[in-house]
Amino acid sequence: MSIIPLIVGGHELEEVSSVFASAVEPDFEVVYSSTSPEAALPCMVGVLNGETPPGPPGLGRHGKLRSAGAARAIVLTAGYDDAFVAALRKQLGGKPVPILKIDAAASAPGPDATPTPEETRALADRALKVLKKLEAEGKLDGADDGLYAY
């Protein structure tokens, strides 16, 4: 399996987003990560359209663009709600991209708490299972626009 590029709507603390991004390697690579839903919407759409997102370039390995237009899925962590998903779909204008959204009922420590590195790795493992299933089913090839819980 070749490395599959992802966009991640991560936690407000870049350290948590970095743990998540490292945990999905080596099969997947986070090419862009945002640390807030407010900043994520225009940036995610822009990255999928091959644009460089606004902001300082020195945000670290997972806080900047690494490969424009290459992402084959979007993974959303806690803090990205159904309204965000609807707004993202609207902004994408029909461009198909699978979106993985955290299953809040199955997640600890809760939507407003900062997860430990162990909890973050557990969330990444859940996302990995779904991503690998989607890859096996051919749903990361640019035609699927499903919403999947992890």
Side-chain angles (χ1 to χ4, degrees):
M1 175 166 99
S2 62
I3 296 173
I4 297 171
L6 306 172
I7 291 174
V8 172
H11 192 274
E12 64 187 15
L13 296 175
E14 180 145 352
E15 297 81 21
V16 174
S17 295
S18 291
V19 169
F20 189 95
S22 294
V24 299
E25 293 175 345
D27 296 329
F28 298 88
E29 177 187 25
V30 175
V31 296
Y32 182 75
S33 177
S34 182
T35 55
S36 78
E38 295 78 22
L41 188 61
C43 292
M44 287 180 182
V45 172
V47 169
L48 286 168
N49 289 324
E51 301 167 7
T52 301
L59 292 176
R61 186 179 113 140
H62 303 296
K64 64 180 181 178
L65 179 69
R66 292 180 66 190
S67 180
R72 292 174 38 197
I74 296 173
V75 180
L76 302 175
T77 62
Y80 295 80
D81 58 14
D82 292 337
F84 177 86
V85 173
L88 178 60
R89 288 282 185 216
K90 183 176 180 182
Q91 290 292 314
L92 288 172
K95 181 178 183 127
V97 61
I99 298 174
L100 281 69
K101 186 174 176 289
I102 196 166
D103 180 356
S107 298
D112 296 325
T114 300
T116 66
E118 294 78 22
E119 290 166 334
T120 302
R121 282 189 283 280
L123 290 173
D125 287 343
R126 288 184 5 213
L128 269 173
K129 288 178 185 173
V130 175
L131 287 164
K132 287 180 178 183
K133 182 176 187 275
L134 294 175
E135 173 65 10
E137 294 172 352
K139 293 184 176 180
L140 297 180
D141 294 335
D144 184 68
D145 66 350
L147 179 62
Y148 304 93
Y150 72 93

